[in-house]
Amino acid sequence: MSLKYLFLFTICLPMLLFAQAKDHYKVRSIAFYNVENLFDTINDPDSFDDDRTPSGKDQWTSHRYQRKIENISKVISEIGADKTSTSPDLIGLCEIENRQVVEDLIAHPNLKNKGYGIIHYDSPDERGIDVALLYKQSAFIPANSMSRRLLLFNNEGERDYSRDQLVVQGYLDTEKIYLIVNHWPSRSGGEARSRPNRIAAANLNVRIMDSILREDSTARIITMGDFNDDPTDTSITKILKKAGVRPPHNLTTLHNPMELLHKKGLGSLAYRDRWNLFDQILMTPTLLNGQNNTFQFWKAGIYHPPYLSTPTGPYKGYPFRTYSGGNYTGGYSDHFPVVLYLIKSAK
């Protein structure tokens, strides 16, 4: 075989195999996206959103808001489309101000025909940001949902308000699945100083999963979010991954497909010339081996097409954000989205 034909064979074979896989398997995609301060333009007297108003520091006008909606809706419409030919079936969001901004998001022409439903609760976060779940009504039927409060206190014993953790139980096609959407406390004040807050968030996540597993020891649970920690940090390795390991569940540790990506030096956000992978999707091991023709984990990745990266300047290659250095740049977010694929036989 000549070098020319060997090259063509090497390029075309994976494409052919994937085309065959799509014919024989059903693929569902689950994504998470920190959309970086998706605020409306209305001043909320109960939260610190003054900067994101027309008269605020950011000069957050209706035009800028609509551009943000267009940008984020474009990204969501394309996440995972190379594998599924459509947008995600489920997508967790964080840094959204309220339900209305999510309503505006799914009403945009980029998403209007996708048939998304919304699950959202207001959190007590001081900045006024929440988490939410979008679900395709053709693929997922929610059965129950709740918002679990994260109780934090500062050194003076005063309440430190943060985001709730969203818990949803429903049916992906006809299969029961549990989802937890997270946005753990930031590293403001330094990683070490703020670490106890993320430890507390991890412990809450574990309590949620343990309570589910007490009722159903074979429950399939996916926990996703911006954890503000990497896959190698204590909150993930020593606490979160241990959910369900203790009796009576005796599961092996949660599977975190983001670990391998992190080891390769990949990340979903960059800071001071260092990539972090704060955005992660973990799952119980019951999703690793599909039994009785049920969905199982296939692969995971970071969605970062070229247009999501800063094109020029000192932050070239970093996520193309809405503001940079206090200046409006009209980008997308300071995070790349992450995506996970579940697969099962189409027979």
Side-chain angles (χ1 to χ4, degrees):
M1 182 182 293
S2 72
L3 185 61
K4 174 183 176 181
Y5 290 111
L6 178 61
F7 175 77
L8 290 173
F9 178 79
T10 304
I11 295 297
C12 294
L13 180 60
M15 296 172 62
L16 176 62
L17 292 176
F18 177 66
Q20 292 175 340
K22 287 202 297 184
D23 291 338
H24 292 88
Y25 292 93
K26 175 179 283 189
V27 183
R28 293 295 189 192
S29 57
I30 300 173
F32 177 82
Y33 195 13
N34 179 329
V35 296
E36 190 198 15
N37 296 324
L38 180 54
F39 281 69
D40 59 28
T41 61
I42 302 168
N43 186 18
D44 183 349
D46 296 324
S47 64
F48 300 131
D49 69 342
D50 301 55
D51 290 347
R52 285 295 172 105
T53 59
S55 59
K57 179 176 67 68
D58 292 338
Q59 299 179 3
W60 190 240
T61 62
S62 177
H63 173 74
R64 291 182 175 183
Y65 173 65
Q66 292 300 329
R67 181 171 178 179
K68 177 85 170 181
I69 290 290
E70 180 174 358
N71 284 351
I72 298 300
S73 64
K74 169 182 168 64
V75 178
I76 291 175
S77 73
E78 296 176 354
I79 296 173
D82 60 326
K83 303 291 189 298
T84 64
S85 301
T86 187
S87 59
D89 298 292
L90 295 153
I91 178 163
L93 301 174
C94 78
E95 293 203 13
I96 51 105
E97 185 180 17
N98 49 45
R99 184 183 180 93
Q100 185 57 55
V101 300
V102 188
E103 295 276 8
D104 292 345
L105 188 64
I106 65 171
H108 190 277
N110 287 331
L111 297 177
K112 187 175 182 178
N113 296 326
K114 303 296 185 183
Y116 279 117
I118 301 170
I119 300 176
H120 165 266
Y121 295 87
D122 285 316
S123 286
D125 181 81
E126 294 173 348
R127 291 174 54 207
I129 54 174
D130 305 327
V131 299
L133 180 74
L134 299 183
Y135 63 94
K136 279 187 178 173
Q137 297 171 87
S138 60
F140 182 79
I141 300 174
N144 295 291
S145 66
M146 67 179 70
S147 185
R148 292 291 299 271
R149 192 129 297 175
L150 175 61
L151 294 176
L152 300 174
F153 298 91
N154 60 26
N155 293 333
E156 288 72 40
E158 299 172 334
R159 178 79 183 275
D160 187 3
Y161 294 94
S162 186
R163 281 76 64 178
D164 292 347
Q165 296 181 9
L166 175 61
V167 186
V168 178
Q169 182 251 309
Y171 295 87
L172 184 62
D173 293 337
T174 59
E175 300 179 25
K176 184 188 289 187
I177 192 169
Y178 297 84
L179 303 147
I180 309 173
V181 185
N182 304 265
H183 185 194
W184 289 3
S186 75
R187 295 189 170 197
S188 178
E191 187 279 325
R193 184 177 178 181
S194 61
R195 188 183 303 151
N197 290 339
R198 289 184 298 282
I199 296 294
N203 280 316
L204 173 59
N205 218 245
V206 169
R207 289 196 299 273
I208 292 169
M209 285 189 276
D210 280 350
S211 67
I212 293 170
L213 290 166
R214 276 194 296 270
E215 298 294 325
D216 180 1
S217 61
T218 62
R220 291 180 290 173
I221 307 171
I222 292 175
T223 184
M224 66 178 107
D226 175 359
F227 297 106
N228 271 304
D229 269 339
D230 283 315
T232 52
D233 284 315
T234 299
S235 64
I236 306 294
T237 59
K238 302 296 184 183
I239 299 176
L240 183 58
K241 285 186 65 180
K242 301 301 181 183
V245 173
R246 299 182 300 277
H249 317 306
N250 296 319
L251 297 177
T252 57
T253 59
L254 296 187
H255 178 61
N256 187 359
M258 304 305 176
E259 283 186 30
L260 181 59
L261 300 177
H262 185 251
K263 287 179 181 178
K264 293 179 178 179
L266 303 177
S268 56
L269 71 157
Y271 180 67
R272 293 182 177 177
D273 296 325
R274 178 174 180 252
W275 283 97
N276 294 102
L277 189 45
F278 292 170
D279 305 278
Q280 301 171 57
I281 306 176
L282 298 88
M283 72 202 79
T284 49
T286 45
L287 275 160
L288 297 183
N289 297 300
Q291 298 179 353
N292 300 320
N293 192 29
T294 58
F295 282 113
Q296 63 180 324
F297 169 70
W298 178 30
K299 61 169 65 177
I302 303 165
Y303 182 69
H304 55 102
Y307 72 83
L308 281 186
S309 297
T310 304
T312 59
Y315 301 111
K316 182 178 180 180
Y318 285 25
F320 185 19
R321 55 191 305 172
T322 308
Y323 285 84
S324 181
N327 298 312
Y328 177 71
T329 55
Y332 298 81
S333 172
D334 56 350
H335 289 242
F336 294 140
V338 292
V339 59
L340 174 149
Y341 302 96
L342 300 178
I343 192 169
K344 73 173 180 179
S345 173
K347 296 180 180 179

